Amino acid sequence: MTQAFDIVIVGAGMVGAALATGLGREGFSVAMIDRAPAPTFDPEAEPDIRVSALSAGSERYLQSLGAWNHILGMRATPYRRLAVWDETRHPLSNLLPRTSNRVEFSAAELNAAHLGHIVENSVTQQGLWQAAEAEPSVTVLAGSGVSGIAETVDHATVTLENNRQLTAALVIGADGAQSRVRDMAGIGVTRNQYAQQAMIISVRYRGQVQDITWQGFYPSGPRAFLPLYSAGSDYPGESRASLVWYDSSQEIARLKRLGSDALMAEIQQGFPKELPPLTHIESRASFPIARQHAKQYSAGRIVLTGDAAHTINPLAGQGVNLGFQDAQCLQNVLKEARRAGTDLAGPSVLARYEQQRRPANRRMMLAMDAFYHLFSNQTPPLHLLRNVGLGTARALPFARNYVARYAMGIDDELPAVIRQLAARLPGLNQH
Ligand SMILES: Cc1cc2nc3c(=O)[nH]c(=O)nc-3n(C[C@H](O)[C@H](O)[C@H](O)COP(=O)(O)OP(=O)(O)OC[C@H]3O[C@@H](n4cnc5c(N)ncnc54)[C@H](O)[C@@H]3O)c2cc1C
């Protein structure tokens, strides 16, 4: 059986599901397909190992899609403060107050209720699936991946692994960093694997749910604390958090081999002293990290969004926020095309999307690389530069608020100083 749609979205992660909902709300007939079964939520279960810091900009977008209340109804942790500091030791370390190289942003200073929320990826995805399913023009097909895409002059035919066939004017690849759709479209990538890997550790700690998320930068990579929710009546007085430990692949491999007690001791010793006392390690996973950019965002009747188009260093937690910006841009461009009576996959339509999103995505990649190079380094001038940088950000409320507004997704232009720094770093190519 072949079903016809305006648009088929392959991959219903956070980005694909958001796009399906938004396009459905605009009245497009959309098929949203994912090879995984529909996500489920169990309030008693341990948290998803993958969590994201969603900016205020992403929150507004999820609200506009009708997904935010579903997310809040499951669980999301607001953070009202965000702190960053340098943990590199140098000869004067003991003489300087600990706050000298620390910058902290607070919602109160920005007259905001919070800076953002930490949300488990599966919760965001599920909130979006519920919103998508509520749209009459969206058809959700879970549990079967894409096996082929064929194109004719006026449509594309998507074949699923269960042999079902769907036709559409446009196929959107939102199937993540290892995108099959991208391969099927014959689109290559430029890729730089970072020396560091990220280990994510779900923990319980003694104390109340914290309202701060922080990141301490060591020469071997950052170590971050993302607060989650109360551990409930089974563990009175305890809360949950997600820790991220960036380090060399050898060090991450060593940490992964440790038993829970030994790993907990290493974390308690290796993390900044702001880490509350841990009581239990619930789960852990490690991820290689890479900067990857599709050489083009579209080919024929196929267009890419989210991680299928780009991945960035996750150290500032901006990956999905960028994907949501892609989704909003593509939705606007497609709405415009329909109004003009143009083919949704017309070259000028898809070029308009790429013209808007490629430079913005690239700027963020470069900014993340700037942070990575600046902090993963013990060279004295860089050490000085980053402390001056953090000192400046701390001392100048204007600069600090500017950076915070950007990190919150209120402004979408990088602060000029970071743009200039990114542009001067060696080894950053044109992609
Ligand atoms: C260690 C780490 C920490 C991160 N922390 C943050 C953070 O704090 N904040 C942030 O914004 N971002 C963060 N990110 C990045 C963020 O996770 C990604 O940017 C985001 O998940 C991308 O969403 P997506 O929907 O594009 O892709 P994905 O989440 O990868 O979703 C792809 C979907 O496509 C489906 N799929 C795959 N192949 C097929 C197929 N052949 N057929 C059908 N369906 C298919 C999959 O089942 C999946 O549902 C982090 C990433 C890493 C590695």
Side-chain angles (χ1 to χ4, degrees), residues 284-314:
R284 50 179 120 161
S286 69
F287 300 87
I289 52 178
R291 169 160 64 91
Q292 179 171 286
H293 210 171
K295 288 187 175 157
Q296 56 202 72
Y297 284 7
S298 67
R301 296 193 167 274
I302 297 176
V303 64
L304 306 175
T305 55
D307 274 22
H310 45 74
T311 62
I312 62 169
N313 193 316

Side-chain angles (χ1 to χ4, degrees), residues 7-24 30-34 61-62 65 124-125 128-129 131-132 138-140 172-176 303-308 320 323-324 326-328 330-331:
I7 298 165
V8 170
I9 301 179
V10 180
M14 295 184 279
V15 175
L19 196 44
T21 310
L23 290 169
V30 180
M32 167 178 116
I33 68 172
D34 202 291
Y61 174 53
L62 292 166
L65 295 175
T124 305
Q125 187 191 16
L128 282 161
W129 277 52
V138 177
T139 302
V140 179
I172 300 178
D175 51 343
V303 64
L304 306 175
T305 55
D307 274 22
V320 78
F324 285 155
D326 288 352
Q328 290 169 84
L330 185 55
Q331 182 181 321

Side-chain angles (χ1 to χ4, degrees), residues 209-292:
V209 175
Q210 300 212 359
D211 72 347
I212 186 168
T213 180
W214 50 251
Q215 188 146 225
F217 283 85
Y218 295 77
S220 53
R223 294 175 200 171
F225 171 84
L226 295 88
L228 291 173
Y229 51 97
S230 160
S233 54
D234 284 351
Y235 308 102
E238 293 185 29
S239 303
R240 290 190 158 101
S242 178
L243 307 180
V244 193
W245 186 329
Y246 294 84
D247 218 309
S248 66
S249 43
Q250 297 89 320
E251 181 61 3
I252 295 294
R254 184 186 73 80
L255 292 169
K256 267 167 64 180
R257 284 195 298 271
L258 296 177
S260 278
D261 287 348
L263 178 61
M264 200 150 77
E266 291 253 3
I267 295 170
Q268 207 77 62
Q269 159 134 46
F271 261 60
K273 67 176 186 40
E274 282 74 3
L275 184 71
L278 303 186
T279 54
H280 186 67
I281 291 188
E282 295 193 314
S283 55
R284 50 179 120 161
S286 69
F287 300 87
I289 52 178
R291 169 160 64 91
Q292 179 171 286

Side-chain angles (χ1 to χ4, degrees), residues 326-376:
D326 288 352
Q328 290 169 84
C329 174
L330 185 55
Q331 182 181 321
N332 286 335
V333 164
L334 294 175
K335 203 168 95 181
E336 201 54 35
R338 186 181 53 185
R339 197 177 301 136
T342 322
D343 180 357
L344 296 180
S348 63
V349 174
L350 301 182
R352 207 167 314 132
Y353 161 67
E354 180 156 356
Q355 277 154 13
Q356 290 178 45
R357 292 308 303 155
R358 178 177 286 281
N361 290 328
R362 183 164 179 274
R363 270 199 300 278
M364 182 61 89
M365 285 178 176
L366 296 185
M368 292 310 107
D369 272 9
F371 284 123
Y372 176 81
H373 288 289
L374 193 58
F375 282 96
S376 305

Side-chain angles (χ1 to χ4, degrees), residues 36 74 95 97 194 256 329 331 387 394 414:
M74 287 177 272
L95 302 174
Y194 293 96
K256 267 167 64 180
C329 174
Q331 182 181 321
N387 281 329
R394 187 165 38 83
L414 274 174

